[in-house]
Amino acid sequence: MPNNLNNIERASTIIEALPYIQKFRGKVVVIKYGGNAMISPELSDAVMEDIIMLYLMGIKVVLVHGGGPEINDMLKKIGKKSVFKNGLRYTDEETMYVVQSVLCGKVNKDLVSTIVRKGAKAMGLCGMDNALLSAKALDRGDGEDYGLVGELVEVNTDVLIDAMENNYIPVVASVAHGIDGNNAYNINADTAAAKIASALKAEKLILLTDTQGVLKDPSDPSSLIKRIYVYQIKRYIDEGVVTGGMIPKLTCCAEAINGGVTRTHILDGRVPHSIIVEMLTDEGAGTMIL
Amino acid sequence: MPNNLNNIERASTIIEALPYIQKFRGKVVVIKYGGNAMISPELSDAVMEDIIMLYLMGIKVVLVHGGGPEINDMLKKIGKKSVFKNGLRYTDEETMYVVQSVLCGKVNKDLVSTIVRKGAKAMGLCGMDNALLSAKALDRGDGEDYGLVGELVEVNTDVLIDAMENNYIPVVASVAHGIDGNNAYNINADTAAAKIASALKAEKLILLTDTQGVLKDPSDPSSLIKRIYVYQIKRYIDEGVVTGGMIPKLTCCAEAINGGVTRTHILDGRVPHSIIVEMLTDEGAGTMIL
Amino acid sequence: MPNNLNNIERASTIIEALPYIQKFRGKVVVIKYGGNAMISPELSDAVMEDIIMLYLMGIKVVLVHGGGPEINDMLKKIGKKSVFKNGLRYTDEETMYVVQSVLCGKVNKDLVSTIVRKGAKAMGLCGMDNALLSAKALDRGDGEDYGLVGELVEVNTDVLIDAMENNYIPVVASVAHGIDGNNAYNINADTAAAKIASALKAEKLILLTDTQGVLKDPSDPSSLIKRIYVYQIKRYIDEGVVTGGMIPKLTCCAEAINGGVTRTHILDGRVPHSIIVEMLTDEGAGTMIL
Amino acid sequence: MPNNLNNIERASTIIEALPYIQKFRGKVVVIKYGGNAMISPELSDAVMEDIIMLYLMGIKVVLVHGGGPEINDMLKKIGKKSVFKNGLRYTDEETMYVVQSVLCGKVNKDLVSTIVRKGAKAMGLCGMDNALLSAKALDRGDGEDYGLVGELVEVNTDVLIDAMENNYIPVVASVAHGIDGNNAYNINADTAAAKIASALKAEKLILLTDTQGVLKDPSDPSSLIKRIYVYQIKRYIDEGVVTGGMIPKLTCCAEAINGGVTRTHILDGRVPHSIIVEMLTDEGAGTMIL
Amino acid sequence: MPNNLNNIERASTIIEALPYIQKFRGKVVVIKYGGNAMISPELSDAVMEDIIMLYLMGIKVVLVHGGGPEINDMLKKIGKKSVFKNGLRYTDEETMYVVQSVLCGKVNKDLVSTIVRKGAKAMGLCGMDNALLSAKALDRGDGEDYGLVGELVEVNTDVLIDAMENNYIPVVASVAHGIDGNNAYNINADTAAAKIASALKAEKLILLTDTQGVLKDPSDPSSLIKRIYVYQIKRYIDEGVVTGGMIPKLTCCAEAINGGVTRTHILDGRVPHSIIVEMLTDEGAGTMIL
Amino acid sequence: MPNNLNNIERASTIIEALPYIQKFRGKVVVIKYGGNAMISPELSDAVMEDIIMLYLMGIKVVLVHGGGPEINDMLKKIGKKSVFKNGLRYTDEETMYVVQSVLCGKVNKDLVSTIVRKGAKAMGLCGMDNALLSAKALDRGDGEDYGLVGELVEVNTDVLIDAMENNYIPVVASVAHGIDGNNAYNINADTAAAKIASALKAEKLILLTDTQGVLKDPSDPSSLIKRIYVYQIKRYIDEGVVTGGMIPKLTCCAEAINGGVTRTHILDGRVPHSIIVEMLTDEGAGTMIL
């Protein structure tokens, strides 16, 4: 912390945020929260403070989250072994029971509690509240049954809009309401965030990750690519610049852009206040996909 | 089902509900849901239909629930042994983790999902959403530590009122926001329902139970006491008419009445549509405490 | 009345209405009231109760009525003889004086009074209030003068919408504001109801009559035609299935359907609660024209 | 008409009304309409124009009326003989039928129609609409039965307030909703106007009559008493200055003043635009009771 | 003043305004105020009374004004000599300082004060408030620099609409917000009024002048042209009927008509209450351009 | 400017303002603007940015200003000599003309223009708009005539509340509406700000000055008194700690505190962003009077 600053310097720094606040005021920003930013209490606190700061400046934040390691801990505790099919974890009913409980009941409500303790209004929701997220069983066309892994078929943002109009920060767990039975479905949180951002025609979608962003050379932090246009993504994948888990993240961003979101960002959740850095300073952070 | 009725008889039966609908329209009714009505899918369906019917008639329903046997099932799965102190289960952090997950994430959201599937708007909340229910560690004055068993210190109904004004049925899990730390607390659902009913100055508090109501002679169903005045409760307990688990239920009702609730009811959740019977027919059901 | 029902059966019967209430909630239903349902106090009470029940369920009801035998009684009292031209009663000024007085002042306000006594808000209107119904002298192109028999030229539903938004049941007497002089005009109540239903894009138009509906064989109650499509009407008339007073009623229904009303019904007003039977049970009643 | 005025003189005359418009803007004025002003079409037109002018200037007018000679004409037509008891006409059911029909259906709706034709919004109501005026059988304590002559027991102004908020001029026929049976009651229109004015805490109550106001010497028009204080009324009656039909009118005014009305007026309805003269010029007209 | 009128004549005169009030109610009228009407206290009072009368009748008035002789007086006081270029006064910074001060601070606020003293709500604005009028340096294409004489490039009526919705009469000084620097610009008041009228789609634009209107023969007051159609203007100029300062006034009116204003008027501000004469009597005044 | 900060440090600095924003959100802060902060363009820009920042954070700012040296410049230009009576400048009509023009027309609207250019909504008002500030001729009880120096007798904040509800920053020139004639009055800006703050029950009143605050030893900047309680003021004056122009400033603050303002501050307007320093950092600035 810059505690060597005098008050005038502090005030100047705050004032420099003015044009950014004016730009984003009244706009919707969807933040997908996960990774280290979720595990470390310090980082988690910093993210919640960033969100409350945006909220106080009149920016409408929707926080979407997955489950982090808490689901695995609980699955381990009940002695559940995971079965993988084509690289995807098969979700049986017992697993889904744990996923839904931990995600919607523990992780989600703890985030809400943190925000409330820090002085803002928040409400914990999941895809089942007013059928915010509707899904059916995933069908990859490979004839394989992935159990309760779902694919989103509809987003009904009414409950989010009602929440934001009443000045709540909606916190959304990525579990969906099943339309082909009484089931709930497990949904990828990046995808949920991207679909929600599209449905809300958000100004920004921010994916918090455990990387700096997209690096040309993974071993060289200075090789960060600051800006990727949607049409470049395929080439970066083909060239092997974008690999592994970054591929679906970029795909989510591309879909959000195509769905009407203005800017999407892959930010480093390991850096405290990276959201504020990206949104309220002139340097930006991570990789912007547009 | 009275499928031997012709349509005119059906219509007459519906019309007979008219004065009751007029009486309760626009009023708040808090329903504590638990016991068999929660375990049997048929009974659960009937309760949800009753709630939606009241909602469509312009009655404002708040549904409060505990966890039923699902919490115990999960505790068993993870091999947790319960420790009891003075008849009260000590709630350690691991237990509370399961309680919160199952209650707020599984039971709560499944109820919401059922209501939404039946065509009404619903929202799943717990005491942590906007600090709806605030609690501190239970202090019975016996010097004993009961862990994360909480006692309610404040009810903030804003989030319920916002939900009802936007036409959602709020479904509330009885887990509270801790004010003396970062903890969540386990709360008795009857108590939570009674406090919420008082805070909302509800017209009615209905506790769904696995008994017919208060019986003079437990072995004789025809000995049901239809009406108990608050001042009679002590005498009934002294005389041994009211015993065991019925004592705290009557205490909750008495507190609700003292808190400004007009009528409270102990209804038999094992009888389908007992809420509609109580509210929309002239016979009533169970025991009314007033 | 099904007084042999126990309370659970009663509750089940009420609950069966759930999907119908959900379907019609917030929709407009225009009911033309006349015939025996208007003369018999018991039937009249039943109709008013049906209307209040729909109103309490959030359905917006507009009640349109003619004058029944009360006009003839008064005309007889003042010794007025009716003159008929081409089957239509010539309406001179003295007759119109009686029609307007009895319809707008006696029949209309008595209906309002009954609804108010039963606990709902109601307001008695006619075509002259805010020029709800505007008419000119009927011109059938036969060069004949029918006096103050009017044909509708405009419907201004503002006063109905204002009334419904303030939660009044509007009760409308079928007398129109003249646009070609200072006159009021006598209007057929079925036509007025159909035009109002079209102007409001109502979900339903219900004509209460003294028949079961359209019968294939008038002597056989079991020959009821449950559903007639607009394009079939001409054929039914040509074949002599539909005759006499039923022809203009079907024509009204056809015009309402063409004007944007979803469903129209010819119901038997002699059967108590036939409106509730039609709207809230799965069998329906009378003949539906669509 | 002052058609010898040039336009500048006309404009000046209009401008002189400015302070009066400012004074009464947003205030409620209740006008009891009757006598010659009701019978002569020219005078009636002038009254309606005055009312519309006040309405356009933002003054909230409620027009209350009785039946004039039209009721007697109709009673005569049906050959009804009136029976008088202690100077009061006994109202049997047949008479009440005619009163209600003619008052609420003919006189009321014709007034509404005139106002609508002149370009303002109006709505025709009576005491039965939303139970605006509730009455029971008159009991003078003399043991006499006066049939359906009623005495007012309650005024519910909701329907008037709703009408005025939606910018309608409410026109009210003095027939009341009976609370001791299914009856309607005949009510004195001056009394109805005074009670409505009190209930609305009106700025003014204006009674249009067929006299100049209260005259010291009935044969001398220049002996008009311009101002009477409530405490003076008894003396004027004792001295024989106020006699006959003027006594109940002054009593109505006194009750209105005691009920919270600021000013009451007895105006000459035979003079065209006397309402405008009284309200928008500096001389005033008739007798003011305060 | 027509003080020889009796009250009935006064009332009749007021009533004659009824159809005009009904016609203009709820409409916007933009009045450009200047010339003698601004200098003479009596005429100024009359104009303010006219405006308040229109306001009380529900007409929405926007008052736009220039500076009259007060600017010249102040320029003279500070010893400023005016430089003219091609007939246009060059506005340097010192001149603009005086223009803005006197116009926005003295003339504007004095008008507001007068209206407020006469009992209406008023608010003093100029083109800089919320950037109501945006301008850049005038470019006539002649290569000449006219200093801070501006030409309007945008009108943002939000501040006027907000003011009118809160029931203020907005009074607007014709000084504009510069978009090409930190400057304010001097704007012709007729042009400002015409642009504001167009932007508000006003019903009327009224230019108060020191002439009777357009005269065929300037020496003959009876040769007033009452109505000019936009397509006739060019011919009138070509024929020398319209000359000098009247040309830009007619051009403003033509632009307003083309911009969606219904009627424009050139009125004689030297005649008291000429606005009321034009708007509320059947003869009209001055020249109407349409 | 702290341009040696990296982005994370910047973000942290912004986040540290969180609790202060939460504390002041939705509250009213009245800022009296004058002195060097008004003369230097850099300082003026900084003050406007501070105000916009507060506004964006949901704090309701009212900016009150006097005239600075601009009035004297103009008085000098027109050759006006000031006459002083008992230390107070006598304000004759010519002087008042200049004061009103420059204050309400030039200084006020230029401030508005600056705020608008920086991207916020602003509206320039003075005491004459809707009679925001009403005054009469100053009467010190010394029999002396001070001309158009006024003393405030009433504050009507309606126009400020309307402006703030429509999201404008109201900028108020300290000229008052005279109630004892057609005059405007010159008012001390500190007094106007204090009275407005009291009338609005503001959270804070901030007086920007050309001193650091109240110093124990004027020659020693480190002797700043950070906090003065109202009851201490008299003693500080008696002891000679508070002298000269600081006395009326402290008196204003005391009156504001007595009038219901929570905190008042004397801040150094020569330090850029001193408002942000005081309001959003933990050190505060200047002297707080409470």
Side-chain angles (χ1 to χ4, degrees), chain A residues 123 159 162-163 166 168, chain B residues 55 60-62 121-125 157-172:
Chain A
M123 194 184 271
V159 75
D162 288 340
N166 282 304
Y168 292 91
Chain B
Y55 161 84
K60 296 176 179 304
V61 185
V62 176
K121 293 170 72 180
M123 193 183 270
L125 301 169
T157 58
D158 285 0
V159 75
L160 297 179
I161 289 166
D162 287 340
M164 291 188 288
E165 280 184 356
N166 282 305
N167 272 319
Y168 292 92
I169 298 174
V171 181
V172 182

Side-chain angles (χ1 to χ4, degrees), chain E residues 31-39 64-68 207-210 269:
Chain E
I31 298 172
K32 153 62 202 316
Y33 177 62
N36 276 301
M38 208 156 172
I39 301 162
V64 179
H65 66 89
L207 305 181
L208 284 180
T209 63
D210 285 351

